[in-house]
Amino acid sequence: MAPRGVATPDVRERLFAAAERIVERDGPGALTSRAVTTEAGCAKGLLHAHFAGFDGFVTELCLDRFAKTATKARALSGIAGHGTVERNLNTVALTLFDSGGLALSGLAMTRPAATLGIRDALEKGAPGFTAIEEAIADYLEAERELGRVARTVDPPSVALAVVGTAHHLLMTGRPGTPDPRPLVIRLIAALVNAPTS
């Protein structure tokens, strides 16, 4: 454990990673500020020194993970023409389910203050599902121009279907239920391999 008064490098990511490990291992009910700081190996008050309480921590954790997925989605256009379209889309869509995504979504939904904080941040422009959807649509348009996606495929509709399905699965899934990733993989395959007629 870091001694008191000594700066903890990259404290936000350290606490976020600790929270994800707890949720993955013990479920969202085990996630408390004390559990997070213990798992992270840092002082008990560190979480409250960096976040507006535990709801603020949950809010920032969810927003951080949305932003990382949006960054990965924006990078898709740079790889148009490389790899397979399915694999490229899977890489982004499945990121939403990594690191306890289902449990974290459930946790946020059970904490009204966190839910409001997330909604407020998204309305003010924080990257979320809309940013991911737009990036996927831009990528599919680039692939369509390269002839790797059929002209009959409508990029905005496919992006909405992929992101909307992921959102639905995150909001309705629970830890311990069947892994939603195979369903997302099948959906992407069906959408990008639509008949050309």
XYZ file of all heavy atoms in Angstrom, residues 52-151:
731
model
N -16.218 12.821 -6.713
C -17.311 13.376 -5.913
C -18.117 12.226 -5.310
O -19.225 11.930 -5.728
C -18.195 14.271 -6.775
N -17.524 11.546 -4.345
C -18.178 10.432 -3.691
C -18.193 9.185 -4.568
O -17.658 9.163 -5.677
N -18.829 8.127 -4.054
C -18.826 6.861 -4.772
C -19.661 6.935 -6.041
O -19.296 6.355 -7.070
C -19.318 5.736 -3.860
C -19.084 4.376 -4.441
C -17.796 3.933 -4.708
C -20.144 3.552 -4.746
C -17.570 2.682 -5.259
C -19.928 2.301 -5.293
C -18.640 1.858 -5.555
N -20.786 7.674 -6.021
C -21.582 7.838 -7.240
C -20.767 8.568 -8.311
O -20.842 8.233 -9.497
C -22.881 8.596 -6.956
C -23.904 7.721 -6.250
O -23.999 6.529 -6.586
O -24.608 8.236 -5.364
N -19.992 9.550 -7.908
C -19.134 10.252 -8.846
C -18.090 9.320 -9.440
O -17.769 9.404 -10.633
N -17.576 8.417 -8.614
C -16.607 7.433 -9.095
C -17.238 6.512 -10.141
O -16.664 6.284 -11.210
C -16.075 6.609 -7.916
C -15.215 5.450 -8.335
C -13.912 5.654 -8.773
C -15.716 4.159 -8.296
C -13.122 4.583 -9.160
C -14.930 3.082 -8.686
C -13.631 3.296 -9.121
N -18.431 5.983 -9.842
C -19.116 5.092 -10.790
C -19.405 5.845 -12.088
O -19.220 5.311 -13.187
C -20.402 4.514 -10.171
C -21.230 3.760 -11.212
C -20.063 3.602 -8.998
N -19.860 7.088 -11.981
C -20.124 7.911 -13.162
C -18.872 8.043 -14.020
O -18.895 7.798 -15.229
C -20.610 9.317 -12.741
O -21.822 9.191 -12.000
C -20.835 10.214 -13.948
N -17.769 8.426 -13.389
C -16.520 8.638 -14.125
C -15.980 7.342 -14.713
O -15.424 7.337 -15.819
C -15.475 9.280 -13.220
C -15.804 10.706 -12.815
C -15.832 11.658 -13.996
O -14.996 11.515 -14.910
O -16.695 12.542 -14.016
N -16.161 6.240 -14.009
C -15.716 4.944 -14.522
C -16.465 4.592 -15.805
O -15.858 4.233 -16.823
C -15.937 3.855 -13.461
C -15.748 2.401 -13.904
C -14.349 2.166 -14.450
C -16.029 1.469 -12.730
N -17.787 4.713 -15.779
C -18.585 4.398 -16.976
C -18.250 5.337 -18.131
O -18.074 4.892 -19.276
C -20.072 4.456 -16.645
S -20.609 3.133 -15.534
N -18.121 6.625 -17.852
C -17.798 7.589 -18.905
C -16.404 7.335 -19.484
O -16.204 7.468 -20.692
C -17.895 9.017 -18.365
C -19.312 9.509 -18.051
C -19.256 10.835 -17.306
C -20.146 9.623 -19.323
N -15.467 6.953 -18.633
C -14.120 6.657 -19.108
C -14.145 5.468 -20.068
O -13.496 5.491 -21.112
C -13.209 6.361 -17.922
C -11.795 6.026 -18.366
O -11.035 6.972 -18.654
O -11.459 4.822 -18.435
N -14.900 4.431 -19.730
C -14.953 3.248 -20.579
C -15.685 3.541 -21.888
O -15.307 3.035 -22.943
C -15.584 2.073 -19.837
C -14.744 1.502 -18.667
C -13.286 1.859 -18.758
N -12.444 1.105 -17.821
C -11.287 1.535 -17.386
N -10.816 2.720 -17.771
N -10.549 0.805 -16.582
N -16.723 4.374 -21.849
C -17.381 4.804 -23.085
C -16.384 5.546 -23.975
O -16.315 5.333 -25.182
C -18.549 5.754 -22.800
C -19.801 5.088 -22.312
C -20.679 5.785 -21.491
C -20.132 3.794 -22.668
C -21.851 5.193 -21.044
C -21.299 3.196 -22.226
C -22.160 3.901 -21.410
N -15.629 6.462 -23.373
C -14.673 7.274 -24.141
C -13.608 6.396 -24.788
O -13.226 6.625 -25.943
C -14.027 8.327 -23.236
N -13.134 5.385 -24.077
C -12.115 4.500 -24.648
C -12.684 3.711 -25.824
O -12.000 3.508 -26.830
C -11.568 3.567 -23.569
C -10.649 4.302 -22.617
C -9.974 3.389 -21.642
C -8.978 4.242 -20.851
N -8.325 3.538 -19.805
N -13.926 3.267 -25.710
C -14.541 2.543 -26.818
C -14.771 3.479 -27.998
O -14.560 3.097 -29.151
C -15.862 1.888 -26.377
O -15.612 1.041 -25.250
C -16.470 1.060 -27.494
N -15.183 4.719 -27.728
C -15.384 5.691 -28.810
C -14.067 5.980 -29.521
O -14.026 6.109 -30.755
C -15.988 6.978 -28.251
N -12.975 6.070 -28.787
C -11.662 6.288 -29.396
C -11.299 5.120 -30.311
O -10.812 5.310 -31.425
C -10.586 6.467 -28.302
O -10.904 7.638 -27.552
C -9.200 6.602 -28.897
N -11.567 3.913 -29.839
C -11.291 2.726 -30.650
C -12.173 2.735 -31.902
O -11.721 2.389 -32.986
C -11.553 1.462 -29.824
C -11.096 0.202 -30.502
C -11.263 -1.001 -29.588
C -10.040 -1.161 -28.736
N -9.972 -2.465 -28.058
N -13.427 3.155 -31.756
C -14.338 3.203 -32.908
C -13.879 4.247 -33.923
O -13.920 4.007 -35.134
C -15.770 3.502 -32.434
N -13.416 5.408 -33.447
C -12.948 6.448 -34.370
C -11.721 5.993 -35.154
O -11.489 6.441 -36.269
C -12.660 7.746 -33.611
C -13.925 8.504 -33.230
C -13.627 9.906 -32.737
N -12.930 9.916 -31.469
C -13.513 9.962 -30.277
N -14.833 10.005 -30.194
N -12.801 9.970 -29.171
N -10.944 5.081 -34.576
C -9.748 4.585 -35.255
C -10.089 3.629 -36.396
O -9.228 3.326 -37.229
C -8.832 3.888 -34.254
N -11.336 3.168 -36.466
C -11.735 2.222 -37.517
C -11.491 2.780 -38.916
O -11.015 2.057 -39.791
C -13.214 1.852 -37.377
C -13.576 0.792 -36.355
C -15.092 0.679 -36.242
C -12.959 -0.550 -36.704
N -11.856 4.030 -39.132
C -11.718 4.593 -40.482
C -10.279 4.533 -40.981
O -10.035 4.406 -42.178
C -12.234 6.033 -40.524
O -13.647 6.025 -40.387
N -9.316 4.580 -40.072
C -7.916 4.504 -40.453
C -7.476 3.119 -40.894
O -6.411 2.975 -41.495
N -8.296 2.110 -40.599
C -7.922 0.752 -41.007
C -8.849 0.218 -42.100
O -8.818 -0.976 -42.414
C -7.872 -0.220 -39.811
C -9.230 -0.316 -39.113
C -6.771 0.179 -38.846
C -9.291 -1.431 -38.079
N -9.659 1.095 -42.688
C -10.523 0.664 -43.794
C -9.652 0.057 -44.882
O -8.600 0.601 -45.225
C -11.320 1.845 -44.339
N -10.082 -1.082 -45.389
C -9.321 -1.764 -46.419
C -8.360 -2.807 -45.867
O -7.729 -3.530 -46.626
N -8.232 -2.882 -44.555
C -7.320 -3.831 -43.923
C -8.106 -4.783 -43.032
O -9.126 -4.419 -42.455
C -6.264 -3.104 -43.090
C -5.455 -2.139 -43.900
N -4.422 -2.534 -44.711
C -5.544 -0.789 -44.025
C -3.900 -1.485 -45.301
N -4.572 -0.408 -44.906
N -7.596 -6.004 -42.881
C -8.298 -6.991 -42.066
C -9.630 -7.320 -42.709
O -9.854 -7.064 -43.893
N -10.542 -7.858 -41.926
C -11.886 -8.090 -42.442
C -12.827 -7.096 -41.788
O -12.600 -6.662 -40.654
C -12.390 -9.525 -42.160
O -12.599 -9.680 -40.748
C -11.400 -10.576 -42.663
N -13.882 -6.756 -42.489
C -14.860 -5.808 -41.955
C -15.463 -6.365 -40.673
O -15.601 -5.651 -39.673
C -15.946 -5.490 -43.003
C -17.032 -4.611 -42.408
C -15.322 -4.832 -44.231
N -15.819 -7.644 -40.712
C -16.415 -8.261 -39.517
C -15.480 -8.162 -38.320
O -15.891 -7.766 -37.230
C -16.736 -9.732 -39.780
C -17.964 -9.954 -40.613
C -18.209 -11.448 -40.827
O -18.246 -12.191 -39.820
O -18.343 -11.857 -41.984
N -14.234 -8.564 -38.509
C -13.289 -8.557 -37.393
C -13.086 -7.143 -36.866
O -13.028 -6.920 -35.647
C -11.955 -9.163 -37.814
C -10.990 -9.315 -36.632
C -9.690 -10.007 -37.007
N -9.947 -11.325 -37.537
C -9.561 -11.728 -38.758
N -8.889 -10.911 -39.551
N -9.819 -12.939 -39.178
N -12.984 -6.181 -37.761
C -12.785 -4.799 -37.329
C -13.970 -4.300 -36.498
O -13.779 -3.651 -35.462
C -12.561 -3.891 -38.542
C -11.256 -4.200 -39.256
O -10.354 -4.812 -38.698
N -11.160 -3.787 -40.509
N -15.183 -4.603 -36.949
C -16.363 -4.185 -36.191
C -16.468 -4.932 -34.865
O -16.834 -4.344 -33.842
C -17.634 -4.407 -37.014
C -17.872 -3.439 -38.167
C -19.147 -3.816 -38.909
C -17.965 -2.008 -37.666
N -16.159 -6.219 -34.890
C -16.211 -7.000 -33.651
C -15.270 -6.428 -32.600
O -15.606 -6.364 -31.416
C -15.845 -8.464 -33.913
C -16.946 -9.221 -34.617
O -18.120 -8.870 -34.529
N -16.583 -10.267 -35.333
N -14.099 -5.999 -33.027
C -13.112 -5.451 -32.095
C -13.688 -4.285 -31.306
O -13.482 -4.170 -30.099
C -11.845 -5.003 -32.849
O -11.277 -6.149 -33.479
C -10.827 -4.381 -31.917
N -14.456 -3.435 -31.984
C -15.053 -2.281 -31.308
C -16.290 -2.683 -30.516
O -16.418 -2.359 -29.330
C -15.408 -1.174 -32.329
C -16.246 -0.089 -31.682
C -14.138 -0.597 -32.911
N -17.216 -3.379 -31.152
C -18.486 -3.712 -30.493
C -18.255 -4.552 -29.241
O -18.907 -4.334 -28.205
C -19.409 -4.439 -31.461
N -17.332 -5.479 -29.296
C -17.119 -6.376 -28.161
C -16.379 -5.695 -27.018
O -16.433 -6.161 -25.878
C -16.384 -7.635 -28.608
C -17.125 -8.470 -29.656
C -16.338 -9.717 -30.007
C -18.530 -8.831 -29.202
N -15.717 -4.574 -27.308
C -15.044 -3.815 -26.248
C -16.040 -3.379 -25.180
O -15.699 -3.297 -23.998
C -14.321 -2.588 -26.840
O -13.355 -3.042 -27.774
C -13.626 -1.774 -25.772
N -17.272 -3.111 -25.584
C -18.287 -2.687 -24.625
C -18.567 -3.754 -23.570
O -19.029 -3.444 -22.470
C -19.593 -2.335 -25.350
C -19.545 -1.066 -26.188
C -20.720 -0.997 -27.140
C -19.523 0.161 -25.273
N -18.275 -5.008 -23.896
C -18.562 -6.101 -22.963
C -17.331 -6.530 -22.174
O -17.423 -7.397 -21.317
C -19.128 -7.302 -23.731
C -20.404 -6.975 -24.444
C -20.389 -6.620 -25.780
C -21.615 -6.979 -23.775
C -21.559 -6.295 -26.447
C -22.789 -6.649 -24.433
C -22.767 -6.307 -25.769
N -16.191 -5.921 -22.468
C -14.971 -6.253 -21.734
C -14.988 -5.602 -20.356
O -15.744 -4.667 -20.094
C -13.738 -5.763 -22.501
C -13.500 -6.549 -23.774
O -14.087 -7.641 -23.917
O -12.735 -6.071 -24.635
N -14.117 -6.080 -19.503
C -13.896 -5.481 -18.178
C -15.183 -5.280 -17.394
O -15.436 -4.199 -16.866
C -13.156 -4.141 -18.321
O -11.932 -4.335 -18.971
N -15.998 -6.303 -17.346
C -17.194 -6.230 -16.518
C -18.254 -5.300 -17.036
O -19.023 -4.729 -16.261
N -18.328 -5.111 -18.350
C -19.291 -4.174 -18.924
C -20.723 -4.403 -18.476
O -21.436 -3.459 -18.136
N -21.162 -5.665 -18.450
C -22.527 -5.960 -18.017
C -22.737 -5.562 -16.568
O -23.732 -4.918 -16.214
C -22.833 -7.453 -18.195
C -22.993 -7.952 -19.621
C -23.104 -9.472 -19.633
C -24.218 -7.330 -20.264
N -21.818 -5.949 -15.716
C -21.968 -5.646 -14.301
C -21.869 -4.146 -14.033
O -22.601 -3.603 -13.208
C -20.912 -6.400 -13.489
N -20.961 -3.463 -14.755
C -20.835 -2.021 -14.556
C -22.099 -1.292 -14.989
O -22.535 -0.341 -14.343
C -19.624 -1.478 -15.316
C -18.262 -1.870 -14.759
C -17.158 -1.370 -15.667
C -18.077 -1.353 -13.352
N -22.713 -1.755 -16.084
C -23.969 -1.141 -16.523
C -25.048 -1.336 -15.472
O -25.791 -0.413 -15.144
C -24.429 -1.754 -17.847
O -23.510 -1.468 -18.858
N -25.114 -2.557 -14.944
C -26.091 -2.835 -13.897
C -25.846 -1.992 -12.663
O -26.783 -1.480 -12.042
N -24.580 -1.836 -12.307
C -24.226 -1.025 -11.146
C -24.672 0.415 -11.350
O -25.283 1.017 -10.465
C -22.718 -1.081 -10.920
C -22.170 -0.197 -9.805
C -22.655 -0.699 -8.455
C -20.649 -0.171 -9.849
N -24.386 0.978 -12.509
C -24.777 2.363 -12.784
C -26.286 2.530 -12.730
O -26.791 3.532 -12.218
C -24.240 2.803 -14.141
N -27.023 1.524 -13.233
C -28.490 1.636 -13.243
C -29.085 1.552 -11.842
O -30.176 2.045 -11.607
C -29.098 0.563 -14.137
C -28.834 0.827 -15.603
S -29.724 -0.206 -16.787
C -30.161 -1.657 -15.924
N -28.373 0.930 -10.900
C -28.903 0.830 -9.543
C -28.517 2.038 -8.691
O -28.935 2.128 -7.541
C -28.402 -0.450 -8.839
O -26.976 -0.397 -8.727
C -28.832 -1.691 -9.599
N -27.749 2.941 -9.247
C -27.325 4.141 -8.520
C -27.862 5.361 -9.277
O -27.219 5.846 -10.207
C -25.805 4.181 -8.399
C -25.244 2.937 -7.685
C -23.798 3.084 -7.349
N -23.580 4.062 -6.294
C -23.627 3.786 -4.992
N -23.900 2.568 -4.588
N -23.395 4.738 -4.103
N -29.040 5.842 -8.888
C -29.678 6.940 -9.631
C -28.784 8.163 -9.829
O -28.807 8.765 -10.901
C -30.902 7.285 -8.772
C -31.204 6.016 -8.031
C -29.866 5.377 -7.769
N -27.983 8.506 -8.841
C -27.117 9.684 -8.996
C -26.078 9.442 -10.089
O -25.755 10.350 -10.860
C -26.434 10.030 -7.679
N -25.565 8.225 -10.172
C -24.599 7.902 -11.227
C -25.278 7.931 -12.588
O -24.723 8.454 -13.559
C -23.968 6.536 -10.968
N -26.482 7.369 -12.666
C -27.227 7.377 -13.932
C -27.451 8.808 -14.409
O -27.251 9.121 -15.585
C -28.571 6.652 -13.772
O -28.323 5.311 -13.351
C -29.360 6.639 -15.069
N -27.854 9.689 -13.505
C -28.077 11.097 -13.864
C -26.771 11.767 -14.277
O -26.741 12.553 -15.221
C -28.718 11.846 -12.703
C -30.178 11.509 -12.421
C -30.650 12.204 -11.142
C -31.068 11.887 -13.597
N -25.696 11.449 -13.575
C -24.397 12.026 -13.919
C -23.939 11.604 -15.305
O -23.420 12.413 -16.069
N -24.143 10.336 -15.624
C -23.776 9.832 -16.951
C -24.623 10.510 -18.013
O -24.106 10.994 -19.023
C -23.933 8.294 -17.008
C -22.896 7.633 -16.099
C -23.803 7.784 -18.440
C -23.168 6.168 -15.810
N -25.926 10.567 -17.793
C -26.826 11.193 -18.771
C -26.463 12.652 -18.985
O -26.408 13.133 -20.114
C -28.278 11.075 -18.305
C -29.278 11.683 -19.288
C -30.708 11.526 -18.821
N -31.011 10.126 -18.642
C -31.856 9.649 -17.721
N -32.477 10.474 -16.894
N -32.094 8.367 -17.629
N -26.191 13.369 -17.906
C -25.837 14.783 -18.007
C -24.547 14.962 -18.810
O -24.461 15.827 -19.684
C -25.674 15.369 -16.603
C -25.410 16.859 -16.626
O -26.190 17.593 -17.260
O -24.411 17.286 -16.018
N -23.551 14.131 -18.532
C -22.281 14.233 -19.255
C -22.454 13.921 -20.732
O -21.887 14.607 -21.598
C -21.241 13.301 -18.633
N -23.260 12.912 -21.047
C -23.493 12.566 -22.454
C -24.231 13.690 -23.175
O -23.919 14.011 -24.322
C -24.277 11.252 -22.552
C -23.530 9.994 -22.086
C -24.464 8.783 -22.134
C -22.275 9.746 -22.905
N -25.200 14.293 -22.504
C -25.936 15.412 -23.111
C -25.033 16.612 -23.356
O -25.258 17.397 -24.267
C -27.118 15.816 -22.225
C -28.263 14.807 -22.262
C -29.364 15.113 -21.262
O -29.214 16.067 -20.454
O -30.380 14.385 -21.284
N -23.971 16.741 -22.553
C -23.030 17.852 -22.711
C -21.909 17.523 -23.693
O -20.982 18.306 -23.860
C -22.444 18.242 -21.353
C -23.465 18.901 -20.437
C -22.867 19.218 -19.090
C -23.909 19.910 -18.214
N -23.430 20.090 -16.839
N -21.977 16.342 -24.321
C -21.019 16.023 -25.368
C -19.974 14.977 -25.044
O -19.100 14.703 -25.876
N -20.016 14.387 -23.849
C -19.059 13.310 -23.550
C -19.310 12.162 -24.524
O -20.451 11.879 -24.881
C -19.237 12.836 -22.108
N -18.250 11.519 -24.985
C -18.447 10.435 -25.948
C -19.162 9.250 -25.313
O -18.845 8.848 -24.199
C -17.029 10.060 -26.381
C -16.134 10.596 -25.321
C -16.842 11.746 -24.675
N -20.147 8.745 -26.036
C -20.917 7.601 -25.564
C -21.368 6.783 -26.748
O -20.687 6.706 -27.776
N -22.547 6.201 -26.633
C -23.047 5.336 -27.691
C -23.215 6.075 -29.019
O -22.975 5.512 -30.084
C -24.380 4.697 -27.269
C -24.202 3.620 -26.232
C -24.627 3.815 -24.932
C -23.609 2.413 -26.560
C -24.467 2.823 -23.979
C -23.442 1.409 -25.618
C -23.874 1.616 -24.318
N -23.624 7.337 -28.984
C -23.799 8.097 -30.227
C -22.477 8.265 -30.959
O -22.402 8.088 -32.182
C -24.439 9.469 -29.937
O -25.705 9.261 -29.308
C -24.635 10.259 -31.211
N -21.417 8.586 -30.231
C -20.096 8.742 -30.857
C -19.620 7.428 -31.460
O -19.042 7.397 -32.555
C -19.087 9.251 -29.828
N -19.885 6.333 -30.762
C -19.493 5.008 -31.268
C -20.284 4.691 -32.533
O -19.728 4.228 -33.539
C -19.708 3.940 -30.179
C -18.813 4.225 -28.972
C -19.453 2.538 -30.732
C -19.191 3.458 -27.715
N -21.567 4.969 -32.497
C -22.433 4.726 -33.664
C -21.967 5.529 -34.876
O -21.862 4.992 -35.988
C -23.870 5.087 -33.294
C -24.879 4.848 -34.378
C -26.261 5.313 -33.956
O -26.589 5.259 -32.766
O -27.015 5.758 -34.844
N -21.674 6.802 -34.681
C -21.228 7.642 -35.800
C -19.910 7.149 -36.378
O -19.719 7.129 -37.601
C -21.099 9.097 -35.327
C -22.438 9.751 -35.044
C -22.311 11.090 -34.323
O -21.180 11.466 -33.935
O -23.358 11.744 -34.138
N -18.994 6.726 -35.507
C -17.698 6.238 -35.979
C -17.862 4.945 -36.774
O -17.200 4.750 -37.800
C -16.759 6.029 -34.793
N -18.743 4.059 -36.324
C -18.982 2.812 -37.056
C -19.597 3.110 -38.416
O -19.210 2.521 -39.429
C -19.864 1.851 -36.226
C -19.058 1.304 -35.036
C -20.406 0.711 -37.083
C -19.867 0.466 -34.066
N -20.538 4.044 -38.464
C -21.158 4.414 -39.743
C -20.116 4.981 -40.707
O -20.101 4.632 -41.895
C -22.285 5.414 -39.514
N -19.228 5.851 -40.209
C -18.174 6.418 -41.058
C -17.248 5.314 -41.588
O -16.860 5.320 -42.760
C -17.348 7.445 -40.274
C -18.125 8.719 -39.977
O -19.192 8.934 -40.601
O -17.672 9.487 -39.106
N -16.905 4.382 -40.727
C -16.046 3.274 -41.140
C -16.728 2.436 -42.218
O -16.108 2.101 -43.238
C -15.699 2.404 -39.926
C -15.141 1.063 -40.315
C -13.871 0.959 -40.878
C -15.889 -0.100 -40.158
C -13.354 -0.270 -41.264
C -15.381 -1.332 -40.537
C -14.121 -1.414 -41.084
O -13.620 -2.634 -41.476
N -17.978 2.099 -42.022
C -18.696 1.276 -43.001
C -18.836 2.002 -44.336
O -18.762 1.378 -45.396
C -20.065 0.870 -42.453
C -20.031 -0.204 -41.370
C -21.397 -0.357 -40.726
C -19.558 -1.533 -41.950
N -19.012 3.306 -44.286
C -19.076 4.085 -45.522
C -17.749 4.000 -46.267
O -17.714 3.832 -47.491
C -19.428 5.542 -45.216
C -19.617 6.399 -46.452
C -20.731 5.897 -47.362
O -21.820 5.576 -46.859
O -20.496 5.830 -48.590
N -16.645 4.093 -45.518
C -15.327 3.985 -46.143
C -15.131 2.602 -46.757
O -14.617 2.471 -47.868
C -14.235 4.274 -45.111
N -15.566 1.573 -46.065
C -15.442 0.211 -46.594
C -16.356 0.006 -47.805
O -15.999 -0.694 -48.751
C -15.769 -0.826 -45.503
C -14.752 -0.892 -44.386
C -13.444 -1.572 -44.767
O -13.109 -1.664 -45.973
O -12.730 -2.022 -43.842
N -17.506 0.643 -47.788
C -18.418 0.538 -48.934
C -17.805 1.196 -50.162
O -17.894 0.675 -51.278
C -19.771 1.167 -48.581
C -20.874 0.777 -49.550
C -22.220 1.170 -49.032
N -22.387 2.620 -49.074
C -23.558 3.220 -49.058
N -24.674 2.510 -48.975
N -23.641 4.518 -49.100
N -17.142 2.329 -49.968
C -16.468 3.009 -51.076
C -15.339 2.158 -51.647
O -15.038 2.236 -52.843
C -15.929 4.369 -50.621
C -17.005 5.396 -50.298
C -17.900 5.699 -51.488
O -17.371 5.886 -52.602
O -19.134 5.736 -51.300
N -14.732 1.346 -50.807
C -13.654 0.456 -51.253
C -14.192 -0.840 -51.870
O -13.410 -1.665 -52.345
C -12.734 0.105 -50.075
C -11.901 1.251 -49.503
C -11.221 0.819 -48.209
C -10.862 1.709 -50.530
N -15.508 -1.016 -51.829
C -16.117 -2.212 -52.397
C -16.056 -3.430 -51.493
O -16.336 -4.548 -51.924
N -15.710 -3.225 -50.224
C -15.621 -4.355 -49.293
C -16.921 -4.592 -48.548
O -17.063 -5.573 -47.828
C -14.472 -4.128 -48.306
C -13.134 -4.242 -49.019
C -11.920 -3.927 -48.161
N -12.029 -3.921 -46.735
C -11.414 -4.804 -45.927
N -10.691 -5.785 -46.440
N -11.519 -4.683 -44.620
N -17.860 -3.673 -48.707
C -19.213 -3.819 -48.162
C -20.169 -3.532 -49.314
O -19.946 -2.598 -50.091
C -19.452 -2.828 -46.992
C -20.897 -2.840 -46.544
C -18.534 -3.149 -45.818
N -21.203 -4.347 -49.413
C -22.154 -4.202 -50.524
C -22.762 -2.806 -50.557
O -22.984 -2.181 -49.516
C -23.254 -5.249 -50.401
N -23.037 -2.312 -51.758
C -23.673 -0.995 -51.912
C -25.046 -0.970 -51.259
O -25.542 0.103 -50.897
C -23.826 -0.643 -53.407
C -22.537 -0.550 -54.202
C -21.593 0.524 -53.768
N -22.135 1.871 -53.757
C -21.493 2.908 -53.265
N -20.281 2.769 -52.767
N -22.034 4.098 -53.267
